[in-house]
Amino acid sequence: LSARYESLNYEVSENKLYREAEYKTSHQITLWRISRNRWIACFFIGVITALVAALIDIGVHYSKDIKFNWILKYLISKCDEEQRGTTSGCMWTVMIAWIAYNCILVTIASCLVIFVAPIAGGSGIPQIKCYLNGIAIPEVVRPQQIFFYVTSNKKIIAEFGVACSVGGGLAAGKEGPMIHSGAVVGAGVSQGKSYSLGIDFGIFKEFRNDRERRDFVSAGAAAGVAAAFGAPIGGVLFSLEEGASFWNQNLTWRMFLSSMISSFTVNCILGWFNGRSGWLSWNGLANFGVFENKDYNVWEIPIFLLIGIIGGVLGALFNYLNTRLTEFRKTYVNSKFGRLFECLLVAAVSAFLAFLTIFAVDDCQPIGRNPTATSTQINQMWCRKGEYSAVASLFFQNPEESVKSLFHSPINSFGVPTLIIFAIEYFLLTLWTFGIAVPSGVFIPAILTGAAWGRLFGIYVERLFPSVTGIDPGKYALAGAAAQLGGVVRMTISLTAIIMEATKDITFGLPIMLVLMITKWVGDMFNEGLYDSHIDLAEVPILGWNPPKMSRNILADKVMRRDVVALERRERVSRIVEILKTTLHHGFPVVDRIEESVTQTLPDYGRLKGYILRTQLFKLLENRVFDEEHASESIPIDFSECQDDDDQNSQIDQLGLSSYDESCWLNIEPFMHPHPHRVPLNTSLPFIFRLFRGLGLRYLFVVNDDNKLRGVITRKDVARFR
Amino acid sequence: LSARYESLNYEVSENKLYREAEYKTSHQITLWRISRNRWIACFFIGVITALVAALIDIGVHYSKDIKFNWILKYLISKCDEEQRGTTSGCMWTVMIAWIAYNCILVTIASCLVIFVAPIAGGSGIPQIKCYLNGIAIPEVVRPQQIFFYVTSNKKIIAEFGVACSVGGGLAAGKEGPMIHSGAVVGAGVSQGKSYSLGIDFGIFKEFRNDRERRDFVSAGAAAGVAAAFGAPIGGVLFSLEEGASFWNQNLTWRMFLSSMISSFTVNCILGWFNGRSGWLSWNGLANFGVFENKDYNVWEIPIFLLIGIIGGVLGALFNYLNTRLTEFRKTYVNSKFGRLFECLLVAAVSAFLAFLTIFAVDDCQPIGRNPTATSTQINQMWCRKGEYSAVASLFFQNPEESVKSLFHSPINSFGVPTLIIFAIEYFLLTLWTFGIAVPSGVFIPAILTGAAWGRLFGIYVERLFPSVTGIDPGKYALAGAAAQLGGVVRMTISLTAIIMEATKDITFGLPIMLVLMITKWVGDMFNEGLYDSHIDLAEVPILGWNPPKMSRNILADKVMRRDVVALERRERVSRIVEILKTTLHHGFPVVDRIEESVTQTLPDYGRLKGYILRTQLFKLLENRVFDEEHASESIPIDFSECQDDDDQNSQIDQLGLSSYDESCWLNIEPFMHPHPHRVPLNTSLPFIFRLFRGLGLRYLFVVNDDNKLRGVITRKDVARFR
Ligand SMILES: Nc1ncnc2c1ncn2[C@@H]1O[C@H](COP(=O)(O)OP(=O)(O)OP(=O)(O)O)[C@@H](O)[C@H]1O
Ligand SMILES: Nc1ncnc2c1ncn2[C@@H]1O[C@H](COP(=O)(O)OP(=O)(O)OP(=O)(O)O)[C@@H](O)[C@H]1O
Ligand SMILES: [Mg+2]
Ligand SMILES: [Mg+2]
C-alpha cells in the first residue's frame, strides 16, 4: 500500500475545550447557525455544480457546432461543387481537416491535464470513491479550493477540458468529469476560501475539517450525477453506494437538496440556452429520449438474461484489458510528452478509423427513413445524393445523439454489419481512451457500445419471431447499454436509478434491474469493477464492504504496530519537536508514563490516557501554549478542531522555536482526546474491521489486560489484509 | 421506557467454537452455501410477499365488486322501477344496505385483529421501524413464522383483514399492511419453519439469529413496498431510510432482488387476473395513472412552495390530533368489545357521512363529461337521469380510483364545494380511522385528502391566470397529495421515489421533491412524523439519527448502571441458575474475579474478560456442559450463535437440574465472547451514542483505568436521554 495517501479524520477530538464550548450561552445559537449554514452550502453546491456542468455541455455543443456546421459543411459543399454531385473523391481532404481539428481540441484538453491539474485526468470517479471511503488522495479535493470564482480554479478549468476531449471526437463521456467537478465544488464551497485566488471569504469556517468536508463532497458528487444525467435520486444513491458506510437521514436529505437544485439549475440554463426559458421540464444533459412502446412480456425475460450475461463477460473483458493497459502505460508512457503524444495518437486514430469504417461499410440509407436521425445531409459522405451513411450518423453525432438514435430509430435504420463493426470499434477505442491524460468518462462510451450490440439482439429477435409484431429493437438496445455499462462499472442500485431517470421512464425499470443484476453476478466472477481495479492499481488502502474472509483467527496482536511513538501527559517541548521532525504519524497516543523495559527493546508504555493529533501539537507549538504561561485560556476555542490544511504545509522549522522555548514543558492533557477507541489484544480482525468501517476510524489503540498501551492500528494496517 | 421490549442481538459471539469453525475444511463451502441461501431466501421473500399483496388486492377488488355490482346495482335498479326514473326517494334503503354491508366487513377485519393477531392492527410501519432500529416488539416478526403455508399463519391471515377494512369503505389504505406483511414474510421465510403449523422445514438454520433476520426483514419490507406501489427502488430506499444505520452493498443488492421479484410477481399475477397474462408492464397495485401534460414552468414554483407549506401544517395538525386521540383511546377504549364497537361506529359513520354529503352537495355532472370516471351509472344517486353525482364518484370508488380521477379528470369535473367538503371529511375520517383495531394504512387516505385540496389549487390557479392555457389541475393534485402524505409520515427520499414510481413518471420528480422538502421542514417545526409519534407513545427505546443535543458533558459514569450482575470465568452451576432465575438481563459480563468491596455496597469487579448471553448460559445448562465432563467438544458448533426463539420461551425449571448438577462447575471461558465492547469511565454520551448507532450494539461495558468493570450500558440506558 502506498504511503502517499492519508486517512481522513472523522473523529471529533473531545478535549476540554470542546466540552467547555457547550457551557457557553451562545452554544445553542452556534449549533443552529452551523446547521443552517450546511443547508446554505448545499444549495450553492447544487447551483455551482450545475453551472459547471451546463458550461461543459454548452462547450461540447459549440465545439461540435464549429466542426459540423462550419468545417464539414463548408468542405463538403466545396467538394460537391467541384465534383458535381458525388463527393466521394475529395472526402479525404475533409478527413484531414477533421483529424486536424480533433487533434487540436484534444491537445488543449491534454495540456490542461498534464500541465495544470493532473488529477483531472480520467473520469475522477475512483478518486471520489476513495475520498468518500476515507482516504485523501493528494490533490483530489483538498487544496486549491474555490468559492464563487469557479473560473479561477485550476482543477475546474481542467475539467472544462472534457468539453474539448468530447468535442475532439474521443470515445469519452463528459459525465464522469462532471461528477468529479461536482465533488470538487462540494469541497470548495464548504471551505469558503480559494487558495489559487488567495481569497479567504471567512465564511463556513466551521466546515474546515474532514468530517464536514466529506459530507459536502458527497453532496457535490450527488449534485454532479444529478446534473450529468438529470437524475437526482440516482445521484443520491450514487453517493451512498460509492461512499457510505454511514447513512444519516439529515445528510441524505441535504444531498438530496443539492442534487435537486442542481437538476433544477441545469434545466433552467439549458431551457434558456435552447430558447425556452422558464420551462423546467427540460430533460437533463444525458437525455436518452422517451420510448414509445413500453410493453414487454414474459417470453422476453430469457433474452434480457442473455444480454445480461454478455454484458457481464464483455465488461469483465474490458476491465481486464484496461487494467493491463494501465499497467503498461504506467511503465512505458510516463513522460509528460509521451502522454501528450498518446492523446494525439488516440485522437487521430479515432477519427481515421471513423472515416475508414464509413468508407468500408456500405450502409447508405435514403434520407427520411430514420426520422430520429439529425444532420443526415452532412452525413452523405460516400453515399449518393439523397442518401446518407448510417455509419457516419453514428460516428459523427454527439455520443448522446447516437445513443438516442440507437434507442429510438426504426428497426431497419442500421444494418447488421454497421452495428457489429461500430460496437467492436467503439469498444476498443473506449478501452484505449480510458486512462489517457484527458478528462474522460466511461459512462457514455459504454452505453453506446452496449446500445449497438443490444440493437443487434432486437434485429435477430425480429428475424427469429417474425410472427410477433411491433418488436422494438430500442428496448434491447437499452438493455444492452445497461449491461455493458453495468459490466464495466458494477454499480447496482444507483445505476438502475440513473438509467431510469435518464430515460425518463419507469416501465423498463424491471428489465434494467434484471440485466444489471445478472451482469454484476457474471462480471464479479471474473474480476472487480473498473473503478475498483484502478483503485487497486494505485495501491490505495481502501476498505471494502466486508471483512476479509477467513480472518477470524487473525488477532489484534498480529495486525498492530508495536513500536508506538507515544507521549506522556506533560512533555518537554524539545521531545515533541523531535518527534514531529522524525516521524510522519498523524497522531500520537498519550499514556500516563513511558518506562524503559528491562526485557524488550520497546519501552513499556503506561495506561492509555488519550490521543492527540499531529496538527494539534503543531498548533500548540505555534501558539506557544507552554506550561508556565498558563496560556490554555488564551487558545481560541475552535482549536479543538484544528484540521486546517494550512498547517499541513508548513514546517516545524518555520515556527522559530528558541532554545528557551524548547526547554519548556507542554501540558497535553487539556487538548487531547480523552477516550480514544481501544481494543484488547485478543480482538479479531473482523471485529476491528467492523469498527473501522462502521465508525470511519483512523486509528485504534490496542491495550493489554491492564489497559496499558501495546500497539496502534491504522487504516493501512487493516487494509493490508485482503 | 417500557421494559416490554428487548433489543436485538447483532453481535457475533466470537467464542472459541466460532473461531475454530474456520479451521474446518468444509468452512469455505459452508460460507458459500450460506451466501447462496441468502439469495434464495430473498427470492422467495419477493415471491411470497407479492402473492400476499396480490391476494389482498384481489380481495379488495371482489369486496367492492359485490358491493357495487350486486347490492347497489340491484337496489338502485329496483328503486328505479318503483319510482319511475328518479331514484331519490328510496335512496335511504340503499344507504342502509350499504352501511350494513360495510359493517359486516369491518367486523370481520376487526375480529381478526382483536381476537387473532393484535399486532396486525394499524399500519404496521412503526413496528417495522422499531424492528429495523434494533428492537423486538413482542410478536412483531418473531414468533409464529411461516414458510410456504402462508394461509396457516395467524398474522398473515389478519393482514388479509385489510381487504375487509378497505372493502368496508373505511378511510384506510391497504399499503401499510402490505408492507408489514412483507416484513413478516421476510422474517418467516428466513427461519424456514412455522410455529403455528408446528412444521420445521429444517432449512435456513443458519439464519436463525437476529443479525440475519434483520436483513431479511428489511428485504421483506422493501418487497412489500415494491408490491404495494410497484416501486422497487422506493422499496429499497424505504428500508434504508427507516432502518439503516448500516448500509451494506450486498444487503442492499439482496433487498433489491426481493423488491424486483416482488414487483415482477405482482405484475404477472395481476396481468393474469386482468386477462393479459404474460404482459409484464402492468402498473403495480397503487397505480395513479399517467399524466398527459408534463410541462411545468418557473412561475409555478411559488405555488408548489405554498402547497408544501400547507401540507406541512395539515400534516402536523393530523399528527397532533391523532396522537391525542390515541392517548384518549389508550385510556378509555381498551376493552376488546369497546374496540370492536369503535370499529363498527367508524364504519357506520363513514358510510353515513358519505351518503349525507352526496345528498347535501349538489354536484351533478352529465355522464361523459369526465372520461376518466368509471361506473358513473351507479353513481346517479339523487341526480337526474343521465347525470351522476361527482361526490358519489369520489366516495364510492376504490380509493385508488378516486385518486386517479382527482389526478386526471378535466378541470371542471369536480365542483369547488365538492372538493372542499370531501377533503375535510376525508381528513377527519382518516384521523379517526388510523389507530382503530383494523389493519389500515394511512398512505392512500392521505394521498386522497391531499389530492382533493391540491386540485382546488389547480382550479384557483386557472381562475387567477385565465390567460395561461392548458393548466392541468392534476399536477397540483399530485403536489397536494405528496404534501399531505409527506406532512403526515415525514419520509423524504424514499417517499419521493415511491410517488415517482407509482405515477410512472419522472418529470414531476423535481416539484415533488421540492414539495416534500418544504413539507418536512414545516412539519418538523411543529412535531414529529406520525410513525415516530406512535413509537414514542409506545415508549419504545428507539435510537434516533443523532446523539441528543447538549450532551457533551454527560459521561459514561452517569449513563451506566453500576450494580452489574457479573460472572467469573468458572462459576458454580447453582449461582448461574440463581442469576438466571432472579434477573432478566440478556447477557452478563465475565470478569476475572469478583470481590466484596470494603468501602462500597457494590462488589469490586475484576478485569473485564468477556461477555456471555443469557441464551448461551441456558444452552450450556441444558446440555449439561459441566466441567468434569470435559464436554466442550461434544457441543454442536452452531452453539456459538444460539439465538433460537425456542430458548426464550422455556423456563429454567424445565431443565430439571439435579442438586448434583448444581454443585458442578461451569467453565464459561470457551463460550464467552472474548472481547466485548468497552469504554472508559470518562466517555461522553455522544461518543457512546455513535457506537451504539454505528455498530448496532446491544450492550457496552464501562471499565476504569485498570480495565476493571465498573458498569454496563444497554440501549435503554442510552435511549433514556433525549
Ligand atoms: N503514533 C504512532 N506510533 C507508531 N506507529 C504509528 C503511529 N501512528 C501510526 N503508526 C503506524 O505507522 C504505520 C504507517 O502509517 P502512517 O504513517 O500512514 O500512519 P498515519 O499517517 O498515522 O495514518 P494515516 O495517514 O492513514 O492517517 C502504520 O502501520 C501505523 O500503524
Ligand atoms: N448484566 C447486567 N447486570 C446489571 N444490570 C444490567 C445487566 N444487563 C443490563 N443491565 C441493566 O438493566 C437495565 C434494564 O435493562 P434490560 O433488563 O432490558 O436489559 P437487557 O434485557 O439486558 O437489554 P435489552 O433487553 O434492551 O437487550 C438497564 O439499565 C441495563 O443497564
Ligand atoms: Mg500517514
Ligand atoms: Mg431486556
Side-chain angles (χ1 to χ4, degrees):
Chain A
L1 296 173
S2 166
R4 287 200 307 137
Y5 310 109
E6 290 285 301
S7 306
L8 300 176
N9 200 26
Y10 299 150
E11 195 81 10
V12 187
S13 177
E14 301 192 15
N15 53 26
K16 211 169 123 239
L17 299 166
Y18 174 80
R19 289 205 174 152
E20 279 167 4
E22 211 179 64
Y23 293 131
K24 281 197 180 171
T25 46
S26 63
H27 186 64
Q28 287 274 18
I29 297 167
T30 314
L31 286 185
W32 181 84
R33 218 198 53 234
I34 291 179
S35 99
R36 186 206 56 196
N37 282 357
R38 283 201 193 108
W39 288 99
I40 295 177
C42 280
F43 179 86
F44 282 110
I45 289 173
V47 171
I48 297 178
T49 306
L51 281 176
V52 174
L55 280 180
I56 290 178
D57 193 63
I58 292 174
V60 171
H61 176 86
Y62 276 118
S63 68
K64 282 275 170 185
D65 204 41
I66 293 174
K67 196 152 78 173
F68 280 109
N69 291 341
W70 300 6
I71 305 182
L72 209 62
K73 220 173 193 168
Y74 170 75
L75 284 175
I76 287 184
S77 64
K78 239 184 68 182
C79 278
D80 228 11
E81 282 164 22
E82 282 171 17
Q83 319 240 340
R84 304 213 185 108
T86 72
T87 54
S88 36
C90 80
M91 276 313 288
W92 302 107
T93 37
V94 178
M95 182 182 87
I96 290 176
W98 180 273
I99 291 181
Y101 179 79
N102 277 3
C103 283
I104 293 171
L105 283 185
V106 171
T107 311
I108 297 174
S110 173
C111 286
L112 279 174
V113 168
I114 295 175
F115 301 107
V116 181
I119 199 70
S123 81
I125 293 181
Q127 285 91 330
I128 297 175
K129 211 166 163 166
C130 292
Y131 190 88
L132 293 180
N133 192 272
I135 301 150
I137 296 199
E139 274 207 74
V140 181
V141 269
R142 267 183 150 184
Q144 297 149 352
Q145 303 306 1
I146 42 153
F147 184 51
F148 280 116
Y149 294 89
V150 178
T151 44
S152 71
N153 184 269
K154 288 197 222 163
K155 230 176 311 160
I156 292 285
I157 291 189
E159 297 291 0
F160 283 119
V162 75
C164 297
S165 56
V166 174
L170 292 183
K174 57 190 189 306
E175 281 68 23
M178 276 183 190
I179 300 170
H180 189 213
S181 36
V184 175
V185 167
V189 167
S190 65
Q191 304 311 296
K193 61 180 173 180
S194 161
Y195 278 89
S196 344
L197 272 181
I199 292 176
D200 186 339
F201 288 88
I203 52 172
F204 296 156
K205 274 199 177 133
E206 59 271 30
F207 299 146
R208 294 183 187 172
N209 61 60
D210 286 337
R211 201 174 47 262
E212 299 279 354
R213 206 181 286 126
R214 171 187 61 177
D215 292 356
F216 291 113
V217 167
S218 54
V225 175
F229 297 99
I233 291 190
V236 174
L237 285 175
F238 172 84
S239 273
L240 288 171
E241 185 166 336
E242 293 307 318
S245 49
F246 57 101
W247 160 288
N248 183 308
Q249 203 183 24
N250 294 332
L251 170 60
T252 313
W253 204 208
R254 281 199 304 273
M255 283 169 22
F256 204 25
L257 176 78
S258 290
S259 49
M260 191 186 83
I261 293 294
S262 155
S263 285
F264 256 124
T265 313
V266 166
N267 286 356
C268 270
I269 299 175
L270 291 190
W272 165 83
F273 181 71
N274 291 282
R276 291 194 66 172
S277 45
W279 185 62
L280 284 183
S281 5
W282 185 262
N283 287 323
L285 298 185
N287 172 10
F288 301 143
V290 176
F291 285 86
E292 300 288 296
N293 178 356
K294 295 182 181 174
D295 283 0
Y296 62 99
N297 216 307
V298 168
W299 60 264
E300 294 178 274
I301 288 182
I303 302 173
F304 290 128
L305 290 183
L306 188 61
I307 291 179
I309 293 172
I310 294 178
V313 173
L314 284 182
L317 183 69
F318 184 95
N319 294 357
Y320 174 77
L321 292 177
N322 190 271
T323 317
R324 288 293 88 74
L325 191 64
T326 310
E327 277 170 355
F328 174 84
R329 209 170 262 151
K330 238 178 167 176
T331 343
Y332 299 104
V333 195
N334 40 21
S335 76
K336 285 194 173 179
F337 287 97
R339 292 169 68 205
L340 182 57
F341 176 73
E342 192 191 7
C343 296
L344 281 180
L345 194 65
V346 174
V349 170
S350 303
F352 182 69
L353 213 59
F355 271 87
L356 210 64
T357 317
I358 295 166
F359 181 69
V361 180
D362 177 33
D363 191 0
C364 291
Q365 308 263 354
I367 289 179
R369 160 155 327 163
N370 182 357
T372 66
T374 53
S375 63
T376 39
Q377 216 136 53
I378 299 166
N379 291 329
Q380 184 185 345
M381 296 302 188
W382 284 274
C383 291
R384 261 165 298 147
K385 199 125 203 178
E387 292 191 337
Y388 74 98
S389 161
V391 191
S393 80
L394 279 183
F395 270 111
F396 286 165
Q397 277 171 325
N398 258 345
E400 279 87 355
E401 293 290 315
S402 307
V403 172
K404 249 196 212 172
S405 42
L406 284 174
F407 283 176
H408 305 297
S409 303
I411 195 156
N412 52 359
S413 341
F414 297 100
V416 171
T418 311
L419 291 175
I420 294 179
I421 291 177
F422 179 79
I424 294 176
E425 281 184 6
Y426 221 78
F427 183 87
L428 294 175
L429 286 178
T430 313
L431 192 63
W432 195 10
T433 310
F434 189 79
I436 63 172
V438 293
S440 69
V442 77
F443 270 71
I444 295 291
I447 286 178
L448 200 46
T449 314
W453 63 254
R455 208 182 157 82
L456 274 180
F457 265 84
I459 293 176
Y460 281 110
V461 167
E462 218 221 2
R463 293 197 189 159
L464 267 179
F465 304 98
S467 58
V468 185
T469 53
I471 285 179
D472 180 9
K475 192 164 50 178
Y476 301 104
L478 177 63
Q484 178 76 28
L485 183 54
V488 172
V489 300
R490 309 278 164 78
M491 283 154 48
T492 58
I493 185 168
S494 59
L495 193 56
T496 315
I498 289 174
I499 293 179
M500 272 165 60
E501 289 184 280
T503 50
K504 307 280 158 230
D505 197 66
I506 289 202
T507 330
F508 288 136
L510 288 180
I512 291 174
M513 276 181 218
L514 193 69
V515 165
L516 284 177
M517 195 167 270
I518 301 295
T519 304
K520 190 173 159 66
W521 272 339
V522 172
D524 280 352
M525 277 180 218
F526 297 104
N527 51 23
E528 289 178 304
L530 184 64
Y531 301 138
D532 292 311
S533 317
H534 277 257
I535 290 173
D536 282 352
L537 274 184
E539 295 182 354
V540 181
I542 205 164
L543 294 184
W545 293 104
N546 292 309
K549 275 186 186 144
M550 305 296 275
S551 59
R552 286 179 192 176
N553 291 293
I554 302 173
L555 300 190
D557 221 9
K558 254 193 262 173
V559 182
M560 74 188 186
R561 182 86 168 245
R562 281 162 202 280
D563 55 331
V564 187
V565 181
L567 299 170
E568 293 191 18
R569 280 171 292 180
R570 280 189 89 229
E571 279 283 1
R572 208 175 269 287
V573 172
S574 57
R575 176 153 191 256
I576 293 177
V577 170
E578 174 74 23
I579 285 177
L580 290 185
K581 273 186 187 164
T582 54
T583 72
L584 285 171
H585 303 309
H586 76 278
F588 306 92
V590 181
V591 295
D592 57 0
R593 100 206 102 72
I594 308 176
E595 280 163 5
E596 293 298 309
S597 166
V598 269
T599 53
Q600 288 171 294
T601 54
L602 290 177
D604 188 24
Y605 306 104
R607 300 198 187 84
L608 181 63
K609 283 294 178 185
Y611 164 73
I612 192 154
L613 285 170
R614 186 189 188 78
T615 45
Q616 287 176 316
L617 285 177
F618 207 88
K619 201 143 181 175
L620 285 175
L621 294 183
E622 196 176 14
N623 292 340
R624 309 274 194 289
V625 194
F626 305 144
D627 225 18
E628 40 273 80
E629 299 179 45
H630 303 291
S632 77
E633 284 82 36
S634 69
I635 291 271
I637 204 80
D638 65 338
F639 170 74
S640 60
E641 288 265 19
C642 63
Q643 298 180 9
D644 262 7
D645 316 292
D646 329 69
D647 305 308
Q648 314 212 329
N649 307 328
S650 40
Q651 287 295 315
I652 282 281
D653 301 322
Q654 293 165 6
L655 292 181
L657 292 169
S658 66
S659 59
Y660 167 74
D661 282 341
E662 297 217 350
S663 69
C664 293
W665 289 89
L666 202 160
N667 184 7
I668 298 174
E669 202 158 8
F671 308 107
M672 72 190 188
H673 177 49
H675 41 83
H677 293 276
R678 72 196 65 191
V679 291
L681 281 162
N682 61 349
T683 313
S684 67
L685 182 58
F687 189 94
I688 294 173
F689 187 95
R690 277 193 295 266
L691 275 176
F692 267 86
R693 200 69 169 86
L695 301 170
L697 293 191
R698 187 178 189 181
Y699 67 86
L700 185 66
F701 294 116
V702 182
V703 294
N704 72 359
D705 231 18
D706 289 319
N707 200 26
K708 288 194 175 159
L709 183 68
R710 279 296 167 265
V712 56
I713 297 175
T714 64
R715 166 186 280 270
K716 273 165 218 152
D717 299 317
V718 178
R720 206 177 305 129
F721 295 88
R722 296 263 154 162
Chain B
L1 296 175
S2 166
R4 286 202 305 138
Y5 311 109
E6 289 286 303
S7 305
L8 300 177
N9 201 28
Y10 299 150
E11 195 80 12
V12 187
S13 178
E14 301 192 15
N15 53 26
K16 211 169 123 239
L17 299 167
Y18 175 79
R19 289 205 174 151
E20 278 168 4
E22 213 180 61
Y23 294 131
K24 280 199 183 170
T25 47
S26 63
H27 185 63
Q28 288 274 20
I29 296 168
T30 313
L31 286 186
W32 182 84
R33 217 199 53 233
I34 291 180
S35 100
R36 186 206 56 196
N37 281 358
R38 285 203 191 105
W39 288 100
I40 295 177
C42 281
F43 179 87
F44 281 110
I45 289 173
V47 171
I48 297 177
T49 305
L51 282 176
V52 174
L55 281 180
I56 290 178
D57 194 62
I58 292 173
V60 171
H61 176 86
Y62 277 117
S63 68
K64 282 274 169 184
D65 204 41
I66 293 174
K67 194 151 80 171
F68 280 109
N69 291 341
W70 299 7
I71 304 183
L72 209 61
K73 220 172 194 168
Y74 170 73
L75 283 176
I76 288 184
S77 64
K78 240 184 68 182
C79 277
D80 228 13
E81 281 165 23
E82 281 172 19
Q83 319 240 339
R84 303 213 187 106
T86 71
T87 53
S88 35
C90 80
M91 277 314 287
W92 301 108
T93 39
V94 178
M95 180 180 87
I96 289 174
W98 180 273
I99 291 180
Y101 179 78
N102 279 1
C103 283
I104 291 170
L105 282 185
V106 170
T107 311
I108 297 173
S110 174
C111 287
L112 279 174
V113 168
I114 294 175
F115 300 106
V116 181
I119 200 70
S123 81
I125 293 181
Q127 285 90 328
I128 297 175
K129 211 166 164 165
C130 293
Y131 190 88
L132 293 181
N133 192 273
I135 303 149
I137 296 199
E139 272 207 77
V140 182
V141 268
R142 266 182 151 183
Q144 297 148 354
Q145 304 306 1
I146 43 153
F147 186 51
F148 280 116
Y149 295 90
V150 178
T151 43
S152 71
N153 184 268
K154 288 197 222 164
K155 229 175 312 159
I156 292 284
I157 292 190
E159 297 291 0
F160 283 117
V162 75
C164 297
S165 57
V166 174
L170 291 182
K174 58 190 186 309
E175 281 68 20
M178 276 184 192
I179 299 170
H180 188 214
S181 35
V184 174
V185 167
V189 167
S190 65
Q191 303 311 296
K193 61 180 174 181
S194 161
Y195 278 88
S196 343
L197 272 182
I199 292 177
D200 186 339
F201 287 88
I203 53 172
F204 296 156
K205 271 196 178 137
E206 59 270 29
F207 300 145
R208 293 182 189 174
N209 61 60
D210 287 338
R211 202 174 47 262
E212 300 280 353
R213 204 182 287 127
R214 169 187 62 178
D215 292 357
F216 290 113
V217 168
S218 54
V225 175
F229 297 99
I233 292 190
V236 174
L237 285 175
F238 173 84
S239 273
L240 287 171
E241 186 166 337
E242 293 308 318
S245 49
F246 57 101
W247 160 288
N248 184 311
Q249 204 182 22
N250 295 333
L251 170 61
T252 313
W253 204 208
R254 281 199 304 272
M255 283 169 23
F256 204 24
L257 176 78
S258 291
S259 49
M260 193 187 82
I261 293 294
S262 152
S263 284
F264 256 123
T265 313
V266 166
N267 286 356
C268 270
I269 299 175
L270 291 191
W272 165 83
F273 182 71
N274 291 282
R276 292 195 64 172
S277 47
W279 185 62
L280 283 182
S281 6
W282 186 261
N283 286 321
L285 298 185
N287 172 12
F288 300 143
V290 176
F291 285 87
E292 301 287 296
N293 177 356
K294 294 181 180 175
D295 283 0
Y296 63 99
N297 216 306
V298 168
W299 60 265
E300 293 179 272
I301 288 182
I303 302 173
F304 290 128
L305 290 183
L306 189 61
I307 291 179
I309 294 172
I310 295 178
V313 173
L314 284 182
L317 183 69
F318 185 94
N319 293 357
Y320 174 78
L321 292 177
N322 190 272
T323 317
R324 288 294 87 74
L325 190 64
T326 309
E327 278 169 355
F328 174 85
R329 208 170 264 149
K330 237 176 165 179
T331 343
Y332 299 105
V333 195
N334 40 21
S335 76
K336 285 194 171 178
F337 287 98
R339 291 170 68 206
L340 181 57
F341 176 73
E342 192 191 7
C343 295
L344 281 180
L345 194 66
V346 175
V349 170
S350 301
F352 182 69
L353 213 59
F355 272 88
L356 211 63
T357 317
I358 295 165
F359 181 67
V361 179
D362 178 32
D363 192 359
C364 291
Q365 309 262 355
I367 288 178
R369 158 152 331 161
N370 182 356
T372 65
T374 52
S375 63
T376 39
Q377 216 138 51
I378 300 166
N379 291 330
Q380 182 184 349
M381 296 301 187
W382 283 275
C383 291
R384 263 164 297 148
K385 199 125 200 179
E387 291 191 337
Y388 74 98
S389 162
V391 191
S393 79
L394 280 183
F395 270 110
F396 286 165
Q397 277 171 326
N398 256 346
E400 279 88 357
E401 293 290 317
S402 307
V403 172
K404 248 196 211 171
S405 42
L406 285 173
F407 282 176
H408 305 297
S409 303
I411 195 154
N412 52 1
S413 342
F414 298 99
V416 172
T418 311
L419 290 175
I420 294 179
I421 291 176
F422 179 78
I424 294 175
E425 282 184 6
Y426 221 77
F427 182 89
L428 294 175
L429 285 178
T430 313
L431 193 63
W432 195 10
T433 310
F434 189 79
I436 62 173
V438 292
S440 70
V442 78
F443 270 72
I444 295 293
I447 286 179
L448 200 46
T449 315
W453 62 255
R455 206 180 158 84
L456 274 179
F457 265 84
I459 294 176
Y460 281 110
V461 167
E462 215 221 2
R463 291 194 189 160
L464 268 179
F465 305 98
S467 59
V468 185
T469 52
I471 285 179
D472 180 9
K475 190 163 54 180
Y476 302 103
L478 177 63
Q484 177 77 29
L485 183 54
V488 171
V489 300
R490 306 280 162 79
M491 283 153 48
T492 59
I493 185 168
S494 58
L495 193 55
T496 315
I498 289 173
I499 293 180
M500 272 165 57
E501 289 184 279
T503 50
K504 306 280 156 229
D505 196 67
I506 290 203
T507 332
F508 287 137
L510 288 180
I512 291 174
M513 277 182 217
L514 193 70
V515 165
L516 284 177
M517 195 167 271
I518 301 296
T519 304
K520 187 170 161 71
W521 272 338
V522 172
D524 280 351
M525 277 180 219
F526 297 104
N527 52 23
E528 288 177 304
L530 184 63
Y531 301 138
D532 292 311
S533 317
H534 277 256
I535 289 173
D536 283 352
L537 273 184
E539 295 181 355
V540 181
I542 205 164
L543 294 183
W545 293 104
N546 292 308
K549 274 186 187 142
M550 304 297 274
S551 58
R552 285 179 193 175
N553 290 293
I554 301 173
L555 301 190
D557 220 9
K558 254 194 263 175
V559 182
M560 73 188 188
R561 182 88 167 243
R562 280 163 203 281
D563 55 332
V564 188
V565 182
L567 299 170
E568 293 191 17
R569 279 170 292 180
R570 281 189 88 227
E571 279 282 0
R572 208 174 269 285
V573 171
S574 56
R575 178 153 189 255
I576 293 177
V577 170
E578 175 73 24
I579 286 177
L580 290 183
K581 273 187 187 162
T582 53
T583 72
L584 284 171
H585 304 309
H586 77 277
F588 307 92
V590 180
V591 295
D592 57 358
R593 100 208 100 71
I594 308 176
E595 281 165 4
E596 293 297 311
S597 165
V598 271
T599 53
Q600 287 171 297
T601 53
L602 289 178
D604 188 21
Y605 305 104
R607 301 199 187 83
L608 180 61
K609 284 293 181 188
Y611 163 74
I612 192 154
L613 285 169
R614 185 190 187 79
T615 44
Q616 286 176 317
L617 285 178
F618 207 88
K619 201 140 180 178
L620 285 176
L621 294 183
E622 198 176 13
N623 293 340
R624 310 276 195 284
V625 194
F626 306 143
D627 225 15
E628 41 270 82
E629 298 180 47
H630 302 289
S632 77
E633 284 84 34
S634 68
I635 290 270
I637 204 78
D638 67 338
F639 171 75
S640 58
E641 290 265 18
C642 62
Q643 297 181 11
D644 262 7
D645 316 292
D646 330 67
D647 304 308
Q648 314 212 329
N649 307 329
S650 39
Q651 288 293 315
I652 282 281
D653 300 324
Q654 293 165 4
L655 293 182
L657 292 168
S658 66
S659 58
Y660 168 74
D661 284 340
E662 299 218 351
S663 69
C664 293
W665 288 90
L666 202 159
N667 185 7
I668 298 174
E669 203 159 5
F671 309 106
M672 71 188 186
H673 178 48
H675 42 83
H677 293 277
R678 73 196 64 191
V679 291
L681 279 163
N682 62 350
T683 314
S684 67
L685 181 58
F687 189 94
I688 294 173
F689 186 93
R690 277 192 296 266
L691 276 176
F692 267 86
R693 200 67 169 87
L695 302 171
L697 294 191
R698 187 176 190 183
Y699 67 87
L700 185 66
F701 295 117
V702 182
V703 294
N704 72 359
D705 232 17
D706 290 319
N707 201 24
K708 288 194 174 159
L709 183 69
R710 278 297 166 265
V712 55
I713 297 175
T714 64
R715 166 185 279 270
K716 274 166 215 150
D717 299 317
V718 178
R720 207 179 304 130
F721 295 87
R722 296 264 155 164

